[in-house]
Amino acid sequence: MLAKKDVKYFQVAQGVWGMRLLFVNVYMIANRRGAGKGWVLVDTGTKGSEDKIIAMAEAIFGPGTRPAAIILTHGHSDHSGSLLELLKVWNVAVYAHHLEAPYLTGKSSYPPADPQTGGGLMSLASVLFSTKPINIRRNLVEIDMYDGIPELPEWKVIHTPGHTPGHISLFMPLNTTLIAGDAFTTTQAESAWHLAFYKKKVSGPPKYITSDWIAAAKSVRKLAALQPRIAATGHGPVMRGRELATELNFLANRFEEIAVPKQGRYVGHAAVSDENGVRYIPPVISNKRTKAALAIAAALVGFLVVSKATKLW
């Protein structure tokens, strides 16, 4: 277990904290009322993050603490990577939208990443990203979208598909705090440079792993209409106030122009899925030169990310 002095986390809002794990964020929310005034974990980061998450929890809530539940904004491997290990320590309910269930019960893989969307080295490196399912059937609880999550009574659950079919965001009306997952990001997720140095910029969902751009646009506009004063996302720093409002409204108003990639297998043809998982994946157009470039870029990004991680984290 990490010592408290080695645990680095940040305040999002009253009763909400976050931690950056390589290039992805996880969050902890303390209940203000109900559910025994416990706390919940939102997302679980990449594989191998469990010790840092447990150390963060104990630094905030005390030794031996455990969440009342875990909530997944979606099941991509950078958001569910340490879930299986955490459940060995915290045998608690895991809440997710019912359209995410196939990817959390071993039924279906996600649509493959699309490294040809452009935007930076992370897009090219996405050929390395796992889209395979995990199986947490025993702990999985499908979210009742009418009643919300009992362990988090003050927060609204909002279905924000596009990045994945069952992607959700969490919103606290009292102080208009939004946890957006990957519905939008606060950095350019396609850029290894932006991710490594935490460059602040409201952007669309990660281009290389978003499979329905029409749904993604509707989700961003739905969240912008809430007029959040604080936004915490899966990738990037917390944004607040006028800066957030200006950039999020700009993204919502010009989503097709600035967020949708100019090319890619899901541009114009979304992947089709249902409660059983993926039903249709658009074909990819590729050639030997493209494949060679992707392989070289993936190797380079892997080296850069590891090198940066060993220096900063």
Side-chain angles (χ1 to χ4, degrees):
M1 180 64 65
L2 296 174
K4 286 187 178 182
K5 64 180 181 180
D6 296 324
V7 181
K8 297 179 181 179
Y9 58 89
F10 52 87
Q11 188 94 34
V12 175
Q14 183 179 5
V16 184
W17 301 265
M19 174 183 277
R20 179 188 181 190
L21 298 165
L22 291 179
F23 57 88
V24 67
N25 300 319
V26 301
Y27 298 98
M28 295 178 184
I29 305 174
N31 287 322
R32 293 156 58 92
R33 62 177 178 85
K37 296 183 179 179
W39 62 278
V40 302
L41 172 66
V42 181
D43 290 338
T44 69
T46 54
K47 187 175 182 180
S49 300
E50 58 275 3
D51 285 347
K52 289 185 178 180
I53 291 172
I54 292 171
M56 174 185 172
E58 295 194 345
I60 296 171
F61 302 107
T65 188
R66 56 186 282 159
I70 296 172
I71 301 170
L72 293 179
T73 60
H74 61 297
H76 278 160
S77 60
D78 56 336
H79 291 256
S80 65
S82 66
L83 181 57
L84 292 173
E85 292 302 315
L86 283 173
L87 289 177
K88 294 177 182 179
V89 181
W90 298 330
N91 186 25
V92 298
V94 179
Y95 285 92
H97 192 277
H98 78 274
L99 290 176
E100 288 296 289
Y103 317 105
L104 300 172
T105 56
K107 283 187 177 181
S108 174
S109 294
Y110 283 104
D114 184 3
Q116 298 185 64
T117 54
L121 288 175
M122 293 303 292
S123 290
L124 295 173
S126 66
V127 293
L128 303 175
F129 297 171
S130 174
T131 55
K132 293 181 180 179
I134 59 174
N135 192 343
I136 56 161
R137 186 184 304 273
R138 292 184 178 181
N139 295 81
L140 183 62
V141 179
E142 294 181 4
I143 297 171
D144 185 319
M145 296 303 292
Y146 180 79
D147 290 332
I149 298 171
E151 290 85 353
L152 210 60
E154 291 188 315
W155 290 71
K156 293 184 178 296
V157 182
I158 304 165
H159 185 206
T160 46
H163 185 60
T164 69
H167 189 287
I168 63 154
S169 301
L170 299 170
F171 183 65
M172 164 69 94
L174 182 64
N175 59 8
T176 61
T177 296
L178 174 68
I179 296 180
D182 285 359
F184 67 89
T185 62
T186 49
T187 193
Q188 188 178 334
E190 301 81 22
S191 168
W193 175 267
H194 279 73
L195 286 173
F197 293 97
Y198 229 38
K199 298 293 184 180
K200 189 186 298 185
K201 179 184 179 182
V202 170
S203 303
K207 292 178 180 179
Y208 49 81
I209 198 71
T210 296
S211 56
D212 187 336
W213 287 101
I214 293 176
K218 292 178 180 178
S219 293
V220 165
R221 289 171 179 137
K222 185 188 298 184
L223 295 179
L226 297 173
Q227 299 182 334
R229 291 196 292 267
I230 303 171
T233 65
H235 305 277
V238 177
M239 290 187 70
R240 297 180 170 85
R242 182 174 297 179
E243 180 184 33
L244 169 64
T246 300
E247 293 199 25
L248 182 55
N249 287 331
F250 183 78
L251 176 65
N253 292 333
R254 302 179 64 178
F255 188 90
E256 287 77 11
E257 178 184 346
I258 63 177
V260 179
K262 299 296 185 283
Q263 62 182 9
R265 72 190 302 177
Y266 305 114
V267 178
H269 300 279
V272 178
S273 60
D274 59 19
E275 63 275 6
N276 293 311
V278 175
R279 300 290 299 274
Y280 167 76
I281 299 173
V284 63
I285 300 174
S286 186
N287 55 52
K288 291 183 178 179
R289 181 177 295 180
T290 300
K291 290 180 179 178
L294 293 176
I296 294 171
L300 176 61
V301 170
F303 172 76
L304 292 175
V305 169
V306 170
S307 298
K308 186 66 178 177
T310 57
K311 291 179 181 179
L312 295 183
W313 302 291

